[in-house]
Structure formats: structure tokens, C-alpha cells
Amino acid sequence: MAVEYDCCGVEFFEHVAIIVVLVLFAGLMSGLTLGLMSLSLVDLEVLAKSGTPQDRKHAAKILPVVRKQHLLLCTLLICNSAAMEALPIFLDSLVTAWGAILISVTLILLFGEIIPQSVCSRHGLAIGATVAPVVRVLVWICFPVAYPISKLLDYMLGDGHVALFRRAELKTLVKLHGNEAGKGGELTHDETTIIAGALELTEKTARNSMTPLCQTFAIDVNRNLDRILMREILDKGHSRVPVFYEKKTNIIGVILVKNLLSIHPDDEVPVKNVTIRKIPRVTEDMPLYDILNEFQKGHSHMAIVVKKNIYRDRKKIQDLSLDIDVDQKPVDKMVKITKPLHRWKSYPNSQISSRGNRVRRWSRDSAANVLHINDTDLQPFNEYEEAIGIITMEDVIEELLQEEIFDETDVHEDQ
């Protein structure tokens, strides 16, 4: 009798141990299903590259396991279901049928669902990294059953679950991470404003940021640099002054004010005899990012915005630039429209874009961008060309910062 009692006691404790293992195993699978599947590949890649040292280590261990999400999901669910189905079998040998059902439901609900999912939802990264080798083994064990089901899910639902945010969603996400939102974020007001401005910049064009031509200061190429004109230039305080011919909508170039330092007002030097640099032209619907990329090259920090609908064909838009045909004899000099000297490579409708390209540079030297004009050489320019505004690098930066930039010469009233 003693031996039979010992055997029954050993069998009883074996069943209890198996029940405990099954409950813990089912809880682990349930927690991992929530913890690992809630981590998107984008989140893990961000943590692996820019998280804390501990998060980087955890994310690096989890990424290879999570890449095939449907295969991982099928493996975890199969293991969880197997554990829950085996639990009543061992309970039935210890208690009655209704007792086995009651105990199994209680154990699975409390220790197999609620507690594991609560813990893994908060510490899923650390737990997933710890049990990643065990999950790899389970994937290989369940592979014959899980792989066909996962391939079917890939075919029906798609292979990837990359959760990338749109620009509007990113702006909202950035605002929520600001310290002004009251949610514990660390981003300051300036940081959230600049990030939002960078996201909005791709939707804005030259027309949104330009200064209308009626509000700009420009000088006639036929005027003389007398005291009156020099005083006007100094009062405006600009570093660059556009130059027009015949009418203000016919901008032919720009003068750098620093080049006028050596000119005496009493000499009344004609404007056309000083160094006039060619000024690029952009269409009104040209994106600000393309304009910023061209400004970064350093050949010009100012551009003329022209109307798009006044061109008769696409070729005129692509060939819109000034070219100077300078011969050795002064009498042969003239200004005319020919092929472009430095056409911007990001014109609308062009197949070539320089966005994001930081290594491309203009092949001409700075002297090629200078106009050389004689008294009798000025002729009317293309009749289909009409300037409507001026855009500068400062205008683009203001759109990026979403704030006005005031320099020493700006006058503004406090409200």
C-alpha cells in the first residue's frame, strides 16, 4: 500500500507540474503575441538605430524574429492553442469534469491572458529579446504547419505591415511630442515649429513665398548712379537690387550693393556700366525645396518668379534664361535670348530633378553670370516673359522656420 501511495503521489505532482508549465507556456505565448506583434518593423528599426543602448540591443535581437510577421503570428497562436487544449486533459485526471473546466478557464484567463498581456504590453521589448532564442526554436518546430498558413496570409493580406506616417500624421505626432502638449514630450516650441515647416515646405511653391513685384525695389538700367539713386539704395538697406529694362516686369539682372562702394555719386556712372549679374528665373509653381537646392549652390540667393501661363510652349519654359553673346569687337555686343547658360535642372515638367542632390555643381565660373551691356545694345526681351515677384533664400528660410526674419534695416511696430 505504501508503494502504491507513493506512485500515486508522484503521478499527482507530475500532473500538477505539467499543468503549471502549460499555464506558464500559454501565458508566455499570449504575451508574446501582443508584445511582439504590436512592435512594427519601423519602430524596431528606429530603436535599433537611435534608441538607448539597452533598447538597441533588444531591438537587434527581435528584428530577425519579427521580420516574417505572419509566420511568427501562426507559430505563437499554434503553441498557445496547443497548451490551452492540453490543460483540461491533465486537469481531468485530478478533478471532476466540471472542476477541470472551471479551473482551466480560471487559470487560462488569469495567468494565461490577463497577467502576461499586461506585463508584455509594457515590457514587450525586453521580454521578447530574452526569449528570442526560444521563439526561434518554436518557429522551426511549428514550421510544417505554420509556414503554409503564413504564406496564405501573405498572399491574401500582403507580405509587409510597414506602418509609415503621412506628412499630416507626422505633424500631429510631432505636436504631441512637444512640451506644450502636456503629454511629457521633450520637444520645444521652436523644434516642433521647424519640423512642421520642413514637412509643409514640399507642398509650397514659389508663388506662396515670393514678394510681389509691386512691393520690391528695383532700378532702371538706363538711370545714373547719382546722389538721389545712391541714397534710395542705401535707405532700402538691401544687399542686392534688381535691375529692369524699360518696365519693371522686365528684370534683366541684379546688382550687388557692395560693388557700388567704389563708385562716387558725383561721377553719375550709368547703371549699365556697373557689374550686373544675371538672375535666375523660376516658374510660379516651382516647389520651394527645388529652389532651396539651387540657392545652396551659391551662384544666386535671389530669383525672379515668372508667370507660367504666358509661355506658348514647353520649350520656352525649359529654355528660359539669358545668354550673352560677347564678341571681341565692342560694336558686335548685344543682349539676346538664346540657349540657357545655367537652366535650373528642376523646372516643372522636366524629367531631371536635383532634389536631394548635394554634389552637383554648375560648370560655368562666376564670370559667366555677369552681363556686359553697351549703350546701344539693349533690346526688348522675350515678349512672353513677365516677372510677377522676387523670391530670396530668406523667403524660403522663413517658410521653413514659419517665422519672420528681421534684419538690422527692417522696421516693424510692436502690436
Side-chain angles (χ1 to χ4, degrees):
M1 294 294 293
V3 177
E4 182 178 358
Y5 178 80
D6 291 340
C7 292
C8 291
V10 171
E11 185 178 356
F12 173 80
F13 286 110
E14 286 180 351
H15 282 202
V16 171
I18 294 174
I19 291 171
V20 172
V21 172
L22 290 176
V23 171
L24 294 178
F25 183 75
L28 179 62
M29 295 299 102
S30 177
L32 290 177
T33 303
L34 177 64
L36 293 181
M37 300 309 299
S38 62
L39 297 173
S40 68
L41 294 178
V42 176
D43 295 334
L44 289 174
E45 290 177 358
V46 171
L47 291 174
K49 294 179 180 179
S50 57
T52 63
Q54 194 69 18
D55 289 343
R56 292 181 185 179
K57 188 181 301 183
H58 291 163
K61 292 181 180 179
I62 294 176
L63 264 174
V65 179
V66 183
R67 288 199 182 277
K68 296 182 178 181
Q69 293 184 328
H70 285 153
L71 180 60
L72 176 63
L73 177 63
C74 294
T75 300
L76 296 178
L77 291 179
I78 290 173
C79 294
N80 187 26
S81 300
M84 289 190 296
E85 292 296 331
L87 182 60
I89 298 176
F90 291 94
L91 281 173
D92 189 52
S93 62
L94 301 179
V95 295
T96 59
W98 63 270
I101 295 175
L102 182 62
I103 295 175
S104 63
V105 170
T106 304
L107 292 176
I108 290 298
L109 183 62
L110 183 61
F111 298 100
E113 296 289 343
I114 297 178
I115 295 178
Q117 292 192 10
S118 299
V119 174
C120 289
S121 63
R122 181 176 293 271
H123 305 287
L125 188 66
I127 296 174
T130 304
V131 299
V134 178
V135 175
R136 288 174 179 270
V137 174
L138 294 176
V139 169
W140 283 107
I141 294 175
C142 301
F143 189 81
V145 179
Y147 181 75
I149 300 176
S150 66
K151 295 304 291 183
L152 179 61
L153 293 176
D154 291 341
Y155 176 76
M156 296 176 60
L157 304 178
D159 189 10
H161 293 272
V162 180
L164 295 178
F165 291 98
R166 298 182 178 88
R167 287 188 176 89
E169 296 170 341
L170 278 176
K171 287 170 55 180
T172 304
L173 184 64
V174 169
K175 290 181 180 179
L176 292 177
H177 282 74
N179 52 21
E180 295 180 344
K183 299 181 181 297
E186 300 179 353
L187 298 180
T188 64
H189 172 74
D190 291 333
E191 289 174 329
T192 56
T193 302
I194 293 175
I195 294 173
L199 293 173
E200 293 177 357
L201 202 64
T202 187
E203 302 172 356
K204 296 181 179 180
T205 59
R207 190 177 187 87
N208 302 126
S209 305
M210 72 176 187
T211 301
L213 205 60
C214 60
Q215 300 178 13
T216 61
F217 173 69
I219 59 177
D220 191 347
V221 71
N222 290 319
R223 289 189 63 179
N224 295 329
L225 291 168
D226 52 15
R227 290 187 177 274
I228 298 177
L229 181 57
M230 295 284 276
R231 173 58 60 184
E232 291 181 7
I233 295 175
L234 292 177
D235 290 341
K236 294 298 180 181
H238 301 311
S239 61
R240 295 169 176 82
V241 179
V243 178
F244 64 89
Y245 173 62
E246 289 186 347
K247 56 183 180 179
K248 198 173 181 179
T249 56
N250 185 26
I251 304 293
I252 63 173
V254 64
I255 289 179
L256 300 182
V257 176
K258 65 180 182 181
N259 293 338
L260 305 181
L261 294 176
S262 60
I263 298 177
H264 197 281
D266 293 336
D267 296 337
E268 297 187 359
V269 177
V271 173
K272 54 176 164 273
N273 289 351
V274 301
T275 302
I276 302 178
R277 293 185 173 274
K278 292 188 294 181
I279 184 169
R281 284 160 165 75
V282 299
T283 55
E284 57 185 343
D285 60 349
M286 186 173 185
L288 291 186
Y289 268 124
D290 290 345
I291 298 176
L292 180 61
N293 288 335
E294 296 300 332
F295 282 158
Q296 285 181 281
K297 296 179 180 179
H299 288 266
S300 177
H301 289 175
M302 177 184 291
I304 298 297
V305 182
V306 295
K307 280 186 179 180
K308 181 181 178 181
N309 57 3
I310 60 176
Y311 298 103
R312 289 189 173 180
D313 51 44
R314 179 179 175 184
K315 185 175 183 299
K316 287 186 174 62
I317 297 179
Q318 295 177 342
D319 293 342
L320 181 61
S321 280
L322 296 176
D323 192 15
I324 310 306
D325 187 10
V326 182
D327 208 52
Q328 295 297 329
K329 298 180 181 179
V331 296
D332 294 331
K333 295 180 181 178
M334 63 183 303
V335 180
K336 62 181 181 178
I337 297 291
T338 60
K339 63 180 181 179
L341 255 179
H342 53 269
R343 176 173 61 85
W344 284 11
K345 300 177 178 62
S346 51
Y347 265 93
N349 299 327
S350 175
Q351 299 299 322
I352 304 175
S353 176
S354 61
R355 178 178 297 181
N357 192 341
R358 294 291 184 267
V359 297
R360 187 176 295 171
R361 293 291 184 269
W362 285 342
S363 59
R364 301 291 184 99
D365 56 10
S366 59
N369 298 321
V370 176
L371 296 176
H372 302 281
I373 304 174
N374 243 0
D375 293 336
T376 59
D377 293 336
L378 285 171
Q379 297 180 0
F381 282 76
N382 196 328
E383 60 179 335
Y384 305 112
E385 175 187 344
E386 182 180 358
I388 60 174
I390 290 178
I391 186 169
T392 64
M393 178 178 287
E394 181 179 330
D395 296 326
V396 181
I397 298 300
E398 286 179 345
E399 292 293 341
L400 178 62
L401 300 179
Q402 298 194 49
E403 294 179 355
E404 291 291 331
I405 299 176
F406 297 101
D407 57 26
E408 299 86 346
T409 60
D410 288 334
V411 179
H412 58 94
E413 299 179 355
D414 295 331
Q415 299 295 332

